[in-house]
Amino acid sequence: MAILKFSPEADDLLTNLESGDRTLSCAGHLNTALDRLEQDPGAAPNRRRRFQSLDLWGIPVMCRDEEWLILWSYSQSETGTLVVHH
């Protein structure tokens, strides 16, 4: 199992989503995707989108009628750690 670390921006966004009643289902979908990422970062659903020029992976998450994208990468300094950028 990997360890997730969040950028300040990603942490703030998720905290704001979790605190709002209207967006609770969005936070739930995002947290489910983050749980799957933490369990197996190498799984195909976690690597569907690759942004090679940025060295990031993207996980699409549908939230009502909007598509959100979790941007993540492997930590260069800490083995087994993933960084959620946004």
Side-chain angles (χ1 to χ4, degrees), residues 24-65:
L24 196 56
S25 64
C26 246
H29 292 299
L30 291 168
N31 279 318
T32 298
L34 290 167
D35 288 344
R36 280 183 275 169
L37 174 62
E38 187 175 38
Q39 289 173 5
D40 187 5
N46 296 329
R47 294 173 166 254
R48 279 209 179 115
R49 295 192 182 167
R50 171 85 166 127
F51 300 93
Q52 198 158 357
S53 61
L54 301 173
D55 198 25
L56 297 174
W57 295 93
I59 303 172
V61 177
M62 287 306 295
C63 200
R64 291 187 214 96
D65 59 346

Side-chain angles (χ1 to χ4, degrees), residues 68-84:
W68 289 61
L69 191 63
I70 297 172
L71 296 175
W72 68 276
S73 67
Y74 288 101
S75 173
Q76 300 298 323
S77 60
E78 299 177 53
T79 306
T81 300
L82 309 176
V83 179
V84 177

